[in-house]
């Protein structure tokens, strides 16, 4: 009995540890999204590869996020990540508006939306240390034409039921919560649904 | 009952130990800041500062976004005004290169190559530190500028020491260059110790001996960062 208890404890520890590593270290947060008929396997999402070409010509693209002043405290890693995430999400939601209708793509895109808003929140939190001017810098950075197009696409997807609050589970970003609250009970208008 | 206790005792202790280490790393700074009069708070941002693991969040910021880097990096790279360079990126590359040299030295890489590169990195960090010190003294009241200063000075002295002991020894002219940087930086450190812009805790628990000596011997005579 004692041996069984020890074994159960060790296996439990391995299970919990493996999941913590998967979530926090490997960053596979999409593995923990709600399991439903609407959500497929994020690893099988075809939209990811379909959007690779979108990353190729990013230089001198005026529609992507850019800093409007030299007087800022935005690290280059954050800037680079902002541009990458905006490029990707714009492709997933705006360039391919029907991609979110496919189950595997939806799982991947929902996770990416979480990351997108988490990055914005993280940068705003950092900017708060420097005061209003820096918060404005970050907000301006995240207000490029492509960011605005992403916001519009998210509103549209929530309005026509392509994305619902349940897709996000307990990880719904606060920015999305208010959008979903405005579009409660919207029917899914995906082709073939 | 005692069987269950003995079963969970060791994992519980291991968990507690892990929690204390990880939690201390993440939340230690905030906790220390609550202690009145304790000047060694901590900051998650100081993780990359090259200063203390528990450098005060209000004193030590993020070196890679320090405003002083804009002028100093541009000057060091000798770029024309037309060239657009992100100082934050250059700084990160410099850090990454330094780390590579340090690891290669630790791993026992080829001495001649390591010694040569070590001298080069010592000179780069020395030049950066000298440039930052050459700015207005009050620039170091900004936590990000101070973090850049602390990191540049610390790295300079670390590389200079490594260069001194490298085999084969560095050339006389290289040694002179490093010695000049060292004198200039120690002098500037002294001044900033007097002004209160730099304190011992800014350099962490294990500062280079030269810096520790200055910080220990000299006394603060004013506080130029105090807001009037």
């Amino acid at each position: 009995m004692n041996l069984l208890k020890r074994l159960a404890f060790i296996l439990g520890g391995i299970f919990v540890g493996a999941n913590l590593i998967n979530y926090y270290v490997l960053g596979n947060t999409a593995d923990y999204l709600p399991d439903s008929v609407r959500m497929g396997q994020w690893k099988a999402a075809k939209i990811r590869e379909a959007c690779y070409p979108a990353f190729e010509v990013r230089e001198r693209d005026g529609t992507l996020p850019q800093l409007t002043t030299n007087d800022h405290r935005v690290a280059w890693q954050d800037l680079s990540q902002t541009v990458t995430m905006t490029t990707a999400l714009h492709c997933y939601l705006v360039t391919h508006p029907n991609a979110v209708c496919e189950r595997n793509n939806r799982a991947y895109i929902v996770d990416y939306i979480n990351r997108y808003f988490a990055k914005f929140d993280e940068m705003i939190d950092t900017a708060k240390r420097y005061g209003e001017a820096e918060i404005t810098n970050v907000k301006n950075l995240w207000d490029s034409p492509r960011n605005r197009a992403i916001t519009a696409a998210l509103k549209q997807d929530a309005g026509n039921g392509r994305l619902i609050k349940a897709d996000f589970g307990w990880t719904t970003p606060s920015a999305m919560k208010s959008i979903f609250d405005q579009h409660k009970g919207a029917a899914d208008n995906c082709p073939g649904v | 009952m005692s069987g269950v206790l003995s079963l969970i005792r060791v994992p519980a202790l291991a968990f507690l130990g892990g929690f204390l280490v990880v939690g201390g790393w993440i939340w230690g700074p905030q906790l220390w800041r609550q202690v009145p009069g304790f000047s060694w708070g901590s900051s998650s941002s100081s993780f990359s500062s090259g200063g203390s693991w528990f450098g005060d969040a209000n004193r030590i910021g993020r070196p890679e976004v320090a405003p002083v880097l804009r002028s100093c990096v541009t000057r060091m790279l000798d770029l024309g005004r037309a060239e657009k360079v992100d100082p934050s990126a250059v700084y990160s590359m410099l850090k990454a290169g330094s780390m590579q040299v340090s690891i290669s030295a630790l791993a026992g890489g080829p001495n001649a190559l390591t010694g040569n590169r070590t001298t080069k990195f010592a000179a780069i960090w020395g030049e950066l530190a000298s440039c930052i010190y050459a700015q207005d003294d009050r620039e170091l009241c900004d936590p990000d500028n101070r973090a850049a200063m602390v990191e540049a000075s610390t790295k300079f002295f670390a590389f200079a020491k490594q260069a001194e002991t490298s085999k084969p020894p560095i050339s006389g002219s290289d040694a002179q260059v490093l010695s000049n940087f060292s004198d200039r930086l120690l002098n500037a450190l002294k001044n900033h110790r007097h002004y209160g812009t730099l304190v011992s805790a800014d350099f962490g628990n294990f500062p280079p001996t030269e810096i520790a000596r200055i910080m220990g011997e000299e006394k603060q005579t004013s506080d130029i960062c105090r807001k009037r």
Side-chain angles (χ1 to χ4, degrees):
Chain A
M1 188 59 188
N2 203 10
L3 187 74
L4 279 177
K5 274 184 189 171
R6 281 173 194 260
L7 195 67
F9 196 82
I10 290 167
L11 290 177
I14 291 171
F15 176 79
V16 172
N19 278 289
L20 288 175
I21 289 171
N22 191 44
Y23 191 92
Y24 291 105
V25 180
L26 301 179
N28 292 330
T29 48
D31 287 343
Y32 303 90
L33 286 170
D35 201 11
S36 72
V37 287
R38 291 172 55 85
M39 307 286 273
Q41 293 298 314
W42 68 272
K43 283 177 183 163
K46 295 215 166 45
I47 188 63
R48 191 179 183 182
E49 283 178 30
C51 282
Y52 282 166
F55 293 92
E56 283 168 13
V57 195
R58 288 191 299 169
E59 302 299 320
R60 295 187 182 83
D61 184 335
T63 63
L64 280 170
Q66 50 193 326
L67 289 160
T68 50
T69 171
N70 279 333
D71 191 16
H72 64 81
R73 305 288 177 116
V74 177
W76 70 275
Q77 298 98 321
D78 288 338
L79 176 62
S80 169
Q81 226 175 327
T82 304
V83 173
T84 303
M85 294 186 118
T86 303
T87 307
L89 202 53
H90 184 271
C91 182
Y92 304 153
L93 295 173
V94 183
T95 314
H96 299 278
N98 289 333
V100 76
C101 291
E102 199 274 324
R103 292 176 68 241
N104 297 333
N105 285 342
R106 182 180 283 135
Y108 182 74
I109 292 171
V110 162
D111 182 57
Y112 210 89
I113 293 168
N114 279 337
R115 289 166 189 260
Y116 177 84
F117 284 113
K119 186 67 200 171
F120 173 73
D121 291 343
E122 179 203 313
M123 286 178 68
I124 287 288
D125 279 346
T126 305
K128 280 177 186 165
R129 287 188 231 160
Y130 301 101
E132 276 306 314
E134 187 56 21
I135 293 173
T136 308
N137 284 341
V138 174
K139 282 183 177 167
N140 286 342
L141 176 69
W142 284 80
D143 192 37
S144 72
R146 288 212 200 188
N147 293 109
R148 289 198 291 271
I150 288 169
T151 308
L154 285 171
K155 283 179 182 166
Q156 205 178 344
D157 285 342
N160 56 29
R162 291 183 175 199
L163 286 173
I164 60 172
K165 200 172 184 178
D167 295 337
F168 290 83
W170 56 275
T171 61
T172 315
S174 53
M176 288 302 294
K177 275 182 192 158
S178 58
I179 295 176
F180 286 132
D181 288 344
Q182 290 166 21
H183 302 284
K184 267 183 192 161
D188 190 344
N189 80 344
C190 277
V193 173
Chain B
M1 185 63 187
S2 66
V4 175
L5 275 177
S6 67
L7 178 69
I8 63 169
R9 194 177 55 209
V10 173
L13 282 174
F15 178 80
L16 191 69
F19 180 81
L20 284 175
V21 171
V22 176
W25 182 281
I26 297 169
W27 297 297
Q30 285 93 324
L31 291 175
W32 281 122
R33 231 178 297 147
Q34 305 301 319
V35 183
F38 194 85
S39 65
W40 280 20
S42 168
S43 151
S44 57
S45 60
S46 70
F47 174 75
S48 61
S49 71
S52 172
W53 285 356
F54 297 100
D56 191 326
N58 296 321
R59 292 189 57 86
I60 299 294
R62 300 182 302 150
E64 68 275 12
V65 294
V68 284
L69 291 182
R70 273 175 227 138
S71 54
C72 288
V73 166
T74 314
R75 196 183 303 171
M76 279 172 65
L77 296 178
D78 197 22
L79 294 167
R81 284 187 183 184
E83 290 286 340
K84 202 180 174 195
V85 63
D86 188 341
S88 162
V90 174
Y91 189 81
S92 299
M93 281 192 282
L94 183 59
K95 269 177 81 166
S98 305
M99 205 182 288
Q100 194 202 342
V101 169
S102 303
I103 291 169
S104 126
L106 273 175
N111 277 339
L113 183 66
T114 308
N116 196 11
R117 290 174 72 190
T118 306
T119 311
K120 206 166 124 192
F121 273 102
I124 293 172
W125 284 112
E127 201 175 335
L128 180 61
S130 302
C131 176
I132 298 174
Y133 279 132
Q135 312 289 313
D136 186 86
D137 293 329
R138 283 193 173 78
E139 290 283 356
L140 291 199
C141 297
D142 181 297
D144 293 341
N145 286 342
R146 186 182 285 128
M149 184 64 247
V150 164
E151 185 157 68
S153 311
T154 308
K155 287 213 186 298
F156 165 75
F157 284 110
F159 277 115
K161 196 170 200 175
Q162 208 176 308
E164 269 174 28
T165 55
S166 69
K167 285 176 189 171
I170 58 172
S171 70
S173 59
D174 280 351
Q176 188 58 49
V177 168
L178 296 187
S179 170
N180 289 345
F181 274 130
S182 178
D183 293 345
R184 214 179 307 155
L185 292 185
L186 289 175
N187 205 29
L189 272 169
K190 242 183 236 178
N191 290 336
H192 281 284
R193 175 77 182 102
H194 296 159
Y195 303 153
T197 37
L198 289 173
V199 298
S200 181
D202 294 338
F203 292 91
N205 298 323
F206 307 103
T209 43
E210 297 88 343
I211 295 177
R213 188 173 49 78
I214 297 275
M215 290 295 144
E217 284 174 2
E218 304 297 323
K219 296 279 170 267
Q220 183 176 340
T221 53
S222 60
D223 184 0
I224 64 169
C225 295
R226 184 182 290 164
K227 282 175 186 151
R228 288 162 197 156

